[in-house]
Amino acid sequence: MHIDTNTIEKKTVLRTSRERVWQALTDSQAFGAWFGMRLNGPFEPGKPITGEIQRTQVDEEIAKHQAPFEGKSVQLWVEQIVPQSLFSFRWHPYAIEEGVDYSSEPTTLIQFSLEDAPEGVLLTITESGFDQIPAERRAEAFKANEGGWTVQMGLIAKYLALAEA
């Protein structure tokens, strides 16, 4: 049996409108609120966006786990924004080690894709490119992000539920 160590894929059905999911993904302030980032500007294709890790605003327990990383710099490079369908960016995965310069490392590609589903909207999150990450960090970055994307699926669902309340 082949185990894919290059790609993480997570799927969930969100019981809301496609427009609401799209806004939660592509409005950088909304994205930051559920994801746990404070971003300095809007998402624009072909442009980098910087910010810092902050605690999610939708789950106190997850926020406690994010607290040790609060204030760490983050940079994303927006790849594509295809309205109501696909949002993608690149980043340095699990780049949290104090004093380490990750700028010379390859990035991974994160894609958020939306499809209609009978119960709402199917959100698929895919992160690929781990095989290019330096060997000494690859397994740890993959493991951290594998669990991280599971958490993020829950956070966006909570964000959307709270916004409807």
Side-chain angles (χ1 to χ4, degrees):
M1 181 176 142
H2 172 72
I3 297 174
D4 186 355
T5 58
N6 189 54
T7 304
I8 297 167
E9 183 178 270
K10 304 289 181 180
K11 294 178 182 255
T12 192
V13 174
L14 299 166
R15 297 179 191 330
T16 190
S17 71
R18 196 173 186 134
E19 292 77 20
R20 293 198 62 248
V21 177
W22 186 249
Q23 185 270 342
L25 290 172
T26 61
D27 176 294
S28 62
Q29 299 309 303
F31 181 91
W34 63 266
F35 194 94
M37 288 183 186
R38 182 178 301 111
L39 296 165
N40 302 320
F43 292 130
E44 296 180 58
K47 295 190 177 179
I49 184 170
T50 60
E52 60 186 35
I53 296 172
Q54 69 174 15
R55 298 177 198 204
T56 180
Q57 297 173 19
V58 299
D59 186 299
E60 284 186 39
E61 282 304 307
I62 301 301
K64 288 177 189 174
H65 292 287
Q66 292 172 327
F69 308 108
E70 197 164 21
K72 291 199 180 289
S73 295
V74 65
Q75 185 165 18
L76 313 175
W77 293 268
V78 178
E79 292 276 314
Q80 285 186 291
I81 299 177
V82 180
Q84 306 291 318
S85 179
L86 176 72
F87 170 53
S88 65
F89 62 80
R90 294 187 163 281
W91 71 359
H92 293 288
Y94 201 59
I96 60 165
E97 188 73 31
E98 198 66 46
V100 175
D101 179 8
Y102 297 95
S103 63
S104 65
E105 285 188 7
T107 56
T108 54
L109 176 66
I110 292 85
Q111 296 180 300
F112 299 87
S113 63
L114 302 180
E115 296 175 48
D116 292 330
E119 310 84 22
V121 180
L122 174 64
L123 169 62
T124 302
I125 301 175
T126 308
E127 184 173 8
S128 59
F130 284 95
D131 287 352
Q132 301 173 49
I133 303 304
E136 64 272 10
R137 298 194 336 99
R138 186 178 310 140
E140 185 177 16
F142 187 92
K143 181 180 177 187
N145 287 19
E146 172 74 26
W149 287 119
T150 299
V151 168
Q152 293 300 343
M153 284 295 209
L155 292 177
I156 192 171
K158 285 184 179 187
Y159 173 84
L160 292 165
L162 287 171
E164 287 206 342

